[in-house]
Amino acid sequence: MSRQAKPGSKPYRAQLRERLTALGFPEEAIPAQVAKNLVVECGIPPRTAWRLASELSLDVAAHQYNAVTGDPRAGMRGTRIWEYEQWPERGVRPTVAALRVLAQVYGTSWKCLLGLRDLEQLPAKDLAEYHADTATVAPAGPAPSPARTLVRVDARGDEEIGGDALDDAILLTKTNVDDVQLDDLWADLDFLGGAYTRTAPDSILAQLAVIEERTTALLKGRQRPKQTQDLLLIGAKSSAMMAWIAGDLGRYRLSRELNSAAWLYTQYADDFLARRWVRTSQARVAFWAGHGVESAKLAADGLNYQAGGRLTDAPLILAEARGWSSVQAEGQVLDAIARWTAIEDPDLGAGGEDSFFNITKDRRHYMAGNSLLSVGQAAAALREFTTAREAFEGLSLENRWEAMDPMIRIDTGRAHLRLDDLEGAAAQVEPLLDAGVGKQPDMVRAMLKLMATELSGPRWRSATTARNLAEALLDAHASARP
């Protein structure tokens, strides 16, 4: 097996199928062998192993489940199959009837979908049925045709029907988390969101990782449904914040992985506000990683999730404008800026529990100016940068994101260059260079390099001031690595 393939992954399974084919296994026998390998060699629980061996996603498996029962509206969902796969550590115990249907979908016996730990947690009547069922394991093969088929259910007396319903319901009251723990996790997230502007990003990232690890550990246990959703939301927010900050450090691959994890949390939490958090982070990371169009589309999708007033439209609209600006799509940029202008509240701060994503006024006007500058609207951009500077200086020190000072100065300088004002550009960035930029987020380094490149272009190449300024900017770029 290739070392590059992660055990249990799709490439791993593809390689495993090739090896089994080479050994002479017929096609219909290969899924059973793949499932066996995933259980024995990879430690994957049987229900997950059989689904993966059948190469079915959770949603497709649910669709085929509903087809087998003969009622496409039967209500089985991918999330419920996922919950079945998490049991007994957490999730929901599948009934024998559900296991029989899943077995038909996967082309196996329902008994093959239970491991030792499952058997140890089965109710006595289900375990007795397990031992009483002498049917041999069905040969693995493709799922049956979704023709109308009824699942056979043995007749039972009234005393047996629902005999465990009360016990099962009581399980819902058992939990490994309490409201105090949840309040502490939310409070820690809010504190770190506020501390982001004045604390080293690697320190915030490490503390967020602790919250995410605590959340993951708790999710492996059992909670009441509302508590589980709270933990999923905490996981989504902490992962999205970590992705955002990893981007500040230039670790874009990690950022994308963290945002993927955050989005998965939101899918199970099914919460529109959480989806906005993640789309905001995804759009930001995609832009600074060099994927402007993707950033614009992610931001536009985030606007589809209406979440009341807790997370305004402004950050996403401005992210959409900035994304389109990377490909000089002037029409889309100006449309987005007009939509933002129509809703912009000059008195809107970034306080509250979503202050991390509700960016402050200086950052909003900076984003607008940056987008306008990229599509040749230098005069309009300069007005936005002037407003951004005034708003930045009006903030208390604890609410300032210090990276905004160099970013506003650099882009204000670039706007002066577009207006053929080299002296004005120098006046903006020379104080920054004289003071030393220090360690800065990756996007500041990117802007330093961009301005140096523009100063080295044909328009300014012959000017001594421009050459000296370009050299100083490149020196600052080299020293500003976070």
Side-chain angles (χ1 to χ4, degrees), residues 138-179:
S145 170
R148 186 172 181 85
T149 305
L150 295 179
V151 180
R152 179 178 179 273
V153 179
D154 296 333
R156 297 181 180 179
D158 288 347
E159 68 278 3
E160 296 181 30
I161 296 175
D164 291 317
L166 180 58
D167 290 340
D168 291 344
I170 289 175
L171 284 175
L172 295 176
T173 68
K174 297 183 179 180
T175 177
N176 67 336
V177 65
D178 57 35
D179 290 342

Side-chain angles (χ1 to χ4, degrees), residues 204-357:
I204 297 291
L205 186 62
Q207 293 178 73
L208 285 169
V210 172
I211 293 177
E212 195 277 335
E213 289 168 4
R214 285 176 59 194
T215 303
T216 301
L218 289 169
L219 279 169
K220 291 178 180 177
R222 179 184 293 278
Q223 308 88 36
R224 290 189 288 273
K226 177 60 172 67
Q227 293 171 330
T228 299
Q229 187 185 41
D230 266 349
L231 289 172
L232 290 169
L233 292 173
I234 292 168
K237 191 170 189 178
S238 60
S239 295
M241 291 170 67
M242 289 167 67
W244 181 298
I245 295 171
D248 286 354
L249 296 170
R251 298 164 65 180
Y252 294 112
R253 180 176 178 179
L254 173 61
S255 289
R256 294 177 82 90
E257 291 177 355
L258 287 165
N259 269 329
S260 294
W263 187 252
L264 187 59
Y265 278 121
T266 69
Q267 293 294 80
Y268 288 109
D270 195 20
D271 184 271
F272 276 16
L273 177 61
R275 287 174 177 157
R276 279 206 164 203
W277 295 333
V278 181
R279 285 297 192 236
T280 303
S281 179
Q282 287 175 321
R284 183 177 191 265
V285 169
F287 176 80
W288 289 111
H291 307 292
V293 173
E294 178 189 355
S295 172
K297 292 180 178 179
L298 287 165
D301 183 66
L303 290 167
N304 292 325
Y305 302 109
Q306 298 300 318
R310 286 183 57 185
L311 183 53
T312 70
D313 288 350
L316 285 166
I317 294 175
L318 290 168
E320 184 184 351
R322 183 172 61 181
W324 287 122
S325 75
S326 68
V327 290
Q328 288 77 53
E330 184 174 6
Q332 288 95 323
V333 170
L334 295 180
D335 174 72
I337 294 296
R339 284 186 281 129
W340 165 68
T341 302
I343 67 167
E344 171 62 7
D345 179 359
D347 298 322
L348 177 66
E353 59 189 10
D354 287 314
S355 61
F356 186 87
F357 297 104

Side-chain angles (χ1 to χ4, degrees), residues 365-399:
H365 283 273
Y366 169 78
M367 287 180 70
N370 179 268
S371 300
L372 290 166
L373 184 60
S374 296
V375 294
Q377 301 281 332
L382 196 56
R383 289 193 293 272
E384 296 296 343
F385 294 141
T386 300
T387 303
R389 165 61 59 190
E390 293 170 352
F392 175 80
E393 293 177 350
L395 289 171
S396 63
L397 292 178
E398 67 176 14
N399 288 324

Side-chain angles (χ1 to χ4, degrees), residues 15-34:
Q15 293 170 13
L16 181 57
R17 290 176 186 278
E18 291 175 1
R19 292 174 62 191
L20 291 167
T21 300
L23 290 171
F25 283 89
E27 182 177 353
E28 64 272 13
I30 286 179
Q33 295 297 323
V34 172

Side-chain angles (χ1 to χ4, degrees), residues 7-8 12 34-46 48-49 52 89 117:
Y12 176 96
V34 172
K36 179 180 178 181
N37 181 278
L38 295 178
V39 172
V40 175
E41 301 294 335
C42 304
I44 295 176
T48 304
L52 295 176
E89 280 72 20
R117 284 185 294 178

